[in-house]
C-alpha cells in the first residue's frame, strides 16, 4: 500500500528555517517524480516544487531561491528545506507522488497524497 | 503572469449534472497541458479524480468525467450526490517542470 507521511512542520519565526520530511512506503521515491504542494489557511492549493526521477528540480517563483527539494534514496524520504521563511509561507504542506508511464514518460499528475504538515510562520 | 481560472462556486441539485471548467487567463487549455482534477473536503488531503484530461483515477466512479470543452478543461459530474459536496481543483502542467493550480471551485449539493 502506498503511503506518504509528512513531518517537520511547526511554528517558526519570520526569517527562520525548517525542513519538512515525507516518508514514503509501498513504492520507491526515486522511481517517481515527487512534489510538494501547499495550502494556506482557507485558500486553494499551490504547487511548490518537484524532483524528477533523474534528479532535476523545479520551483514555483514564490519559493525559488529559498526552498530546496531533495530526497534520500536510502531512507525513501522526500525533503523540503525552507529558508528565509515569510508569513505568506504559512500553510499545510502536502507531499504528492507523480507516476511515470510504462514507457518512462511522466504522466504529469499526482496520484497519491500525504495528509500534510502545518507550517506557521509568525513572530 | 498566467493564471488558471475556475468558477469560485457552483451549486447543483442532488441527481443533477454539473460541469466545472478550468481555463487560462491567456490562451486555451488543450490536452498538452495534461489537465488533472482533484477533490478535497475540509481538513482532508486532495483526492485524485481525473488525469490526462479524461482518465479516471482508480476507484473513481464513472459519474465523474473529464474533457476539453472549447478552450477549457472540464469536469462533469453526472447524477450528483450529497457527498460530492467538496472543493474541486484543476491543475495544468505548464511545461519546464512547472504546474499551476486553479483557485478551486466550491461545489454545493442542495
Amino acid at each position: 500500500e502506498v503511503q506518504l507521511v509528512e513531518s517537520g512542520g511547526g511554528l517558526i519565526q519570520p526569517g527562520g528555517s525548517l525542513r519538512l520530511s515525507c516518508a514514503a512506503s509501498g513504492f520507491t521515491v526515486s522511481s517517481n517524480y515527487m512534489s510538494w504542494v501547499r495550502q494556506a489557511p482557507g485558500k486553494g492549493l499551490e504547487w511548490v516544487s518537484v524532483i524528477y526521477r533523474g534528479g532535476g528540480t523545479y520551483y514555483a517563483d514564490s519559493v525559488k531561491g529559498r526552498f530546496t527539494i531533495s530526497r534520500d534514496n536510502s531512507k525513501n524520504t522526500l525533503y523540503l528545506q525552507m529558508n528565509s521563511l515569510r508569513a505568506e509561507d504559512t500553510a499545510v504542506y502536502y507531499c504528492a507522488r507523480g507516476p511515470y508511464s510504462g514507457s518512462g514518460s511522466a504522466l504529469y499528475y499526482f496520484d497519491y497524497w500525504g495528509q500534510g504538515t502545518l507550517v506557521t510562520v509568525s513572530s | 503572469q498566467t493564471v488558471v481560472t475556475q468558477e469560485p462556486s457552483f451549486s447543483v441539485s442532488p441527481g443533477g449534472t454539473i460541469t466545472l471548467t478550468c481555463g487560462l487567463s491567456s490562451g486555451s487549455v488543450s490536452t498538452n497541458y495534461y489537465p488533472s482534477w482533484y477533490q478535497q473536503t475540509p481538513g482532508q488531503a486532495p483526492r485524485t479524480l481525473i488525469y490526462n484530461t479524461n482518465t479516471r483515477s482508480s476507484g473513481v466512479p464513472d459519474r465523474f468525467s473529464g474533457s476539453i470543452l472549447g478552450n477549457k478543461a472540464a469536469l462533469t459530474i453526472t447524477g450528483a450526490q450529497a457527498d460530492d459536496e467538496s472543493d474541486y481543483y484543476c491543475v495544468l502542467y505548464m511545461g519546464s517542470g512547472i504546474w499551476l493550480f486553479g483557485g478551486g471551485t466550491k461545489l454545493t449539493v442542495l
Side-chain angles (χ1 to χ4, degrees):
Chain A
E1 180 192 5
V2 171
Q3 281 197 321
L4 297 166
V5 179
E6 301 94 335
S7 61
L11 176 63
I12 187 76
Q13 291 190 337
S17 297
L18 209 56
R19 189 178 80 158
L20 305 183
S21 300
C22 171
S25 58
F27 73 101
T28 302
V29 163
S30 60
S31 297
N32 295 267
Y33 58 95
M34 300 293 297
S35 262
W36 290 96
V37 175
R38 68 184 181 183
Q39 187 169 35
K43 303 296 185 183
L45 300 171
E46 179 188 13
W47 175 80
V48 172
S49 181
V50 66
I51 183 167
Y52 284 98
R53 186 162 60 186
T57 59
Y58 298 87
Y59 301 90
D61 286 345
S62 57
V63 306
K64 198 176 297 181
R66 300 187 299 123
F67 290 12
T68 302
I69 190 171
S70 64
R71 66 188 182 216
D72 184 329
N73 296 342
S74 67
K75 296 182 178 179
N76 209 32
T77 298
L78 177 74
Y79 300 102
L80 186 68
Q81 177 67 43
M82 305 186 295
N83 299 332
S84 303
L85 282 161
R86 307 166 179 166
E88 54 264 36
D89 296 317
T90 293
V92 173
Y93 284 74
Y94 297 99
C95 67
R97 188 186 87 160
Y100 285 88
S101 70
S103 61
S105 302
L107 294 177
Y108 298 119
Y109 78 105
F110 308 111
D111 59 353
Y112 287 93
W113 298 70
Q115 285 302 307
T117 185
L118 175 63
V119 173
T120 304
V121 184
S122 175
S123 54
Chain B
Q1 181 84 351
T2 300
V3 175
V4 177
T5 62
Q6 294 184 249
E7 299 87 358
S9 62
F10 242 130
S11 62
V12 63
S13 300
T17 295
I18 191 162
T19 297
L20 312 182
T21 67
C22 174
L24 282 169
S25 55
S26 56
S28 299
V29 177
S30 69
T31 57
N32 294 331
Y33 287 91
Y34 300 89
S36 54
W37 292 88
Y38 304 84
Q39 178 191 49
Q40 187 184 37
T41 53
Q44 299 299 312
R47 170 198 180 197
T48 307
L49 294 177
I50 300 286
Y51 64 94
N52 197 19
T53 305
N54 56 14
T55 304
R56 270 185 299 278
S57 189
S58 177
V60 174
D62 60 7
R63 55 199 182 76
F64 290 91
S65 62
S67 64
I68 297 291
L69 287 181
N71 62 351
K72 297 181 179 182
L75 173 70
T76 299
I77 307 172
T78 305
Q81 300 180 359
D83 61 4
D84 294 336
E85 187 162 293
S86 302
D87 295 326
Y88 292 85
Y89 294 93
C90 70
V91 65
L92 304 179
Y93 178 67
M94 307 303 291
S96 301
I98 304 298
W99 276 268
L100 278 182
F101 277 91
T105 297
K106 184 177 184 62
L107 180 66
T108 301
V109 180
L110 49 73

